[in-house]
Amino acid sequence: MSHIHQHHHHSAQSSDRGLIFAVSINILLTAFQFIGGLISGSLALIADALHNLSDAASLGIAIVARKISRKPADDFKTFGYKRAETIAALINLTILVVISIYLLYEAVWRFISPSSINGGIIIIIAGIALVIDLVTAFITLRLSKNNLNMKAAFLHNLSDALSSLAVIISGVLISIYQWFWIDSFLTMILALFILYQAFVMLPKTMHLLMEGAPEAININEIKSSISSLKNIEDVHHVHIWSLDEKTIALEAHIVANIDTFDEMETLKQLVKKELADKFNITHSTLEFEHEMMC
């Protein structure tokens, strides 16, 4: 057991170091892109810099949330701190929405008042950014399975890689055809893409924070499954919610035709096994009622 715990601890430390590295290179990239955007006059490059800055912030938030989520349950947080990562996902997604709206605003003004842009500088800086974005995306991808917090961070990085690629194409078109309008057009496309990403993930994040029942769980099926067990007459007051992305909790009142405490304990363990085996519900609180009491 201690070996497994140590392996998990070292694995977590290793992944944290990877995230810290990703934050560092994203901060450097942000400064590099922002200066390049000012020199070249490219709004798309500045937009990509702001997006990278949000990546650095999101990864920083993700690191803090991961550390908090590992804290054991205590008298203050009796279910533990795992929802810290869900809160971090909500913060990151909100940042994405704010950034995308700002970029749309700036792009509209660029269409109204266009300016000259240096395509060569755009291509060089966006090319370097693409490499860094792909490295960062790979780091977060490895940690994003069944984790909204890291999934949100990975989406930040993936959208950055795509935006860097689009900025390169923009630089090529500006250099060859002097299509300065493509810079504002690309900025609008990037902003809408970021906005779409955020709104796809926001409902799931909010559902988890609002203690909604997991989407794959059907309450009627659970009631039917429990009621089919011997000596159980009725199931009511059923509440199901997610403690985090992996742990489902349930509480319910069960009307049973039993007479002794030993029978109740045996039936309780049977119900808990049914919930764990069929529905992956590992945290259940059951209150038994005798049918004569109802």
Side-chain angles (χ1 to χ4, degrees):
M1 179 68 74
S2 61
H3 173 74
I4 295 173
H5 176 75
Q6 286 180 347
H7 175 75
H8 175 75
H9 179 70
H10 290 314
S11 177
Q13 283 189 327
S14 176
S15 61
D16 283 349
R17 284 195 294 270
L19 288 173
I20 292 170
F21 171 75
V23 170
S24 302
I25 60 176
N26 269 279
I27 290 174
L28 290 174
L29 178 59
T30 296
F32 190 55
Q33 283 183 304
F34 191 78
I35 293 170
L38 292 176
I39 294 172
S40 65
S42 170
L43 178 62
L45 204 52
I46 292 175
D48 208 20
L50 289 174
H51 196 189
N52 268 309
L53 181 61
S54 76
D55 279 348
S58 73
L59 287 170
I61 292 168
I63 292 170
V64 173
R66 277 166 61 83
K67 287 183 178 296
I68 293 173
S69 71
R70 295 186 197 122
K71 291 175 63 177
D74 54 32
D75 292 341
F76 186 59
K77 293 285 186 296
T78 55
F79 277 122
Y81 292 79
K82 290 187 176 298
R83 279 201 181 171
E85 293 203 85
T86 307
I87 294 171
L90 179 62
I91 293 171
N92 285 332
L93 292 171
T94 303
I95 291 171
L96 281 177
V97 171
V98 173
I99 287 175
S100 59
I101 292 173
Y102 168 73
L103 293 178
L104 284 171
Y105 170 80
E106 287 292 334
V108 169
W109 275 107
R110 269 298 175 94
F111 269 120
I112 297 172
S113 180
S115 58
S116 179
I117 301 169
N118 188 319
I121 295 177
I122 294 175
I123 295 170
I124 294 170
I125 294 178
I128 295 171
L130 177 61
V131 174
I132 293 176
D133 290 334
L134 290 174
V135 170
T136 310
F138 176 75
I139 292 171
T140 51
L141 175 63
R142 292 188 298 110
L143 305 172
S144 66
K145 187 178 180 182
N146 298 321
N147 189 306
L148 270 175
N149 176 30
M150 295 312 304
K151 205 168 289 182
F154 168 67
L155 283 175
H156 269 274
N157 300 132
L158 178 62
S159 60
D160 253 351
L162 292 173
S163 64
S164 294
L165 181 61
V167 171
I168 292 172
I169 296 171
S170 168
V172 172
L173 293 175
I174 289 170
S175 297
I176 297 175
Y177 302 108
Q178 302 298 301
W179 288 355
F180 299 129
W181 59 268
I182 198 74
D183 188 73
S184 297
F185 177 74
L186 175 60
T187 301
M188 293 185 72
I189 296 298
L190 290 175
L192 290 172
F193 176 63
I194 296 168
L195 202 59
Y196 168 76
Q197 286 181 315
F199 280 115
V200 165
M201 285 191 65
L202 269 172
K204 184 176 181 181
T205 305
M206 293 299 295
H207 185 72
L208 191 57
L209 287 174
M210 290 293 291
E211 297 189 341
E215 295 177 5
I217 296 286
N218 186 303
I219 291 182
N220 290 326
E221 285 184 13
I222 291 176
K223 286 182 178 180
S224 177
S225 181
I226 296 175
S227 297
S228 67
L229 297 175
K230 185 179 179 182
N231 293 328
I232 292 181
E233 304 295 331
D234 184 43
V235 181
H236 57 275
H237 290 169
V238 179
H239 302 284
I240 306 171
W241 69 100
S242 296
L243 298 177
D244 54 50
E245 291 176 79
K246 299 175 183 176
T247 309
I248 302 172
L250 173 145
E251 62 179 28
H253 288 212
I254 297 175
V255 181
N257 184 16
I258 50 178
D259 298 312
T260 67
F261 180 81
D262 288 341
E263 286 179 322
M264 185 194 74
E265 280 299 311
T266 300
L267 188 56
K268 181 192 292 185
Q269 295 308 315
L270 189 61
V271 172
K272 284 180 174 287
K273 186 176 186 305
E274 182 85 357
L275 291 170
D277 292 347
K278 284 192 175 181
F279 305 100
N280 196 32
I281 297 174
T282 55
H283 184 98
S284 56
T285 304
L286 308 173
E287 181 172 331
F288 282 84
E289 303 169 357
H290 195 279
E291 66 173 336
M292 293 298 294
M293 296 171 58
C294 303

